[in-house]
Amino acid sequence: LAKTTQPISMDSYEGQEVNITCSHNNIATNDYITWYQQFPSQGPRFIIQGYKTKVTNEVASLFIPADRKSSTLSLPRVSLSDTAVYYCLVGDIPQAGTALIFGKGTTLSVSS
Amino acid sequence: DAGVIQSPRHEVTEMGQEVTLRCKPISGHNSLFWYRQTMMRGLELLIYFNNNVPIDDSGMPEDRFSAKMPNASFSTLKIQPSEPRDSAVYFCASTPPTAHVYNEQFFGPGTRLTVL
């Protein structure tokens, strides 16, 4: 599994766009990049996944440059409810049921 | 549909006591994972099962920990005897057999264990 590095914490204000960058210099050809979000007192939940270029869903966008050595999770116009820990995970799309390895994540604090 | 169900949600016990945490995965899911989360160590995988069979238990900290999955709808994580350093939030997660495109894991609400 490729090692990932992301900031320990970030602060933002409501309405701003937040970009969280994850470094994964040793990403392998078959690896995908997945982000999970964890609210206080809850389990993590999947938010987005990509392989290259850009992926967008109703929650976030994921930008992956051509060399794939990093990725950026973009949260548009954050609100107080986006305060959470965001985890970047890199690994091969596995057979169903392969374990995930979580790092420490990035704690995002959104203030009014 | 009900999500992953864990019980109890909170458990307070004394050192040396046996603790049993329970998990009911989402119906139809065939993989189940037990994680432990602490401030110091973050979220750690303890063990996971595919089709009720333990696949990787290398994350189980020591022999005091054991996990079983007697059928597709139930799993237990047992700690005997418990120690204060076992205090943590324990999460159970499951995935369906067709989840491999996203490897999306569905987490339960967790059990907060406090060992005094």
Side-chain angles (χ1 to χ4, degrees):
Chain A
L1 293 172
K3 177 178 169 59
T4 61
T5 302
Q6 52 183 125
I8 296 297
S9 63
M10 294 183 69
D11 295 315
S12 181
Y13 291 97
E14 285 188 292
Q16 290 186 333
E17 178 184 75
V18 171
N19 296 309
I20 306 174
T21 297
C22 178
S23 298
H24 29 79
N25 291 321
N26 296 323
I27 190 169
T29 302
N30 295 332
D31 286 345
Y32 280 68
I33 300 153
T34 308
W35 286 79
Y36 276 72
Q37 174 189 55
Q38 184 177 22
F39 295 116
S41 301
Q42 295 185 25
R45 69 163 187 155
F46 170 95
I47 51 174
I48 199 166
Q49 184 181 77
Y51 183 81
K52 61 181 178 180
T53 64
K54 177 183 175 182
V55 179
T56 297
N57 63 22
E58 65 279 5
V59 177
S61 295
L62 179 59
F63 298 90
I64 306 168
D67 66 6
R68 303 197 331 120
K69 293 184 182 299
S70 67
S71 58
T72 299
L73 176 73
S74 181
L75 305 173
R77 297 180 299 281
V78 295
S79 64
L80 296 176
S81 62
D82 291 316
T83 293
V85 180
Y86 293 83
Y87 297 95
C88 169
L89 293 85
V90 173
D92 190 2
I93 290 297
Q95 299 298 319
T98 301
L100 299 175
I101 307 299
F102 288 83
K104 292 295 181 68
T106 297
T107 299
L108 173 64
S109 299
V110 180
S111 304
S112 58
Chain B
D1 289 335
V4 174
I5 298 172
Q6 292 187 246
S7 64
R9 293 295 309 277
H10 301 274
E11 177 79 27
V12 180
T13 190
E14 292 186 346
M15 181 174 63
Q17 296 297 306
E18 177 180 294
V19 175
T20 299
L21 310 182
R22 298 172 175 79
C23 176
K24 177 179 170 56
I26 294 172
S27 178
H29 286 197
N30 69 334
S31 295
L32 183 140
F33 306 79
W34 282 101
Y35 293 88
R36 176 173 69 176
Q37 186 170 41
T38 61
M39 288 293 293
M40 290 296 294
R41 301 174 68 89
L43 196 61
E44 304 174 281
L45 175 71
L46 299 176
I47 185 172
Y48 74 97
F49 298 83
N50 280 351
N51 297 316
N52 313 336
V53 176
I55 301 301
D56 183 355
D57 65 354
S58 60
M60 296 286 262
E62 48 197 272
D63 292 345
R64 297 185 296 106
F65 285 68
S66 63
K68 294 182 179 180
M69 191 165 187
N71 57 62
S73 59
F74 183 66
S75 176
T76 59
L77 178 67
K78 185 176 294 186
I79 308 172
Q80 167 63 20
S82 59
E83 297 182 3
R85 59 191 169 122
D86 301 331
S87 297
V89 180
Y90 291 80
F91 288 103
C92 176
S94 68
T95 60
T98 55
H100 57 273
V101 173
Y102 289 104
N103 196 21
E104 180 178 3
Q105 294 195 5
F106 296 81
F107 283 75
T111 295
R112 181 174 296 276
L113 173 65
T114 302
V115 183
L116 303 175

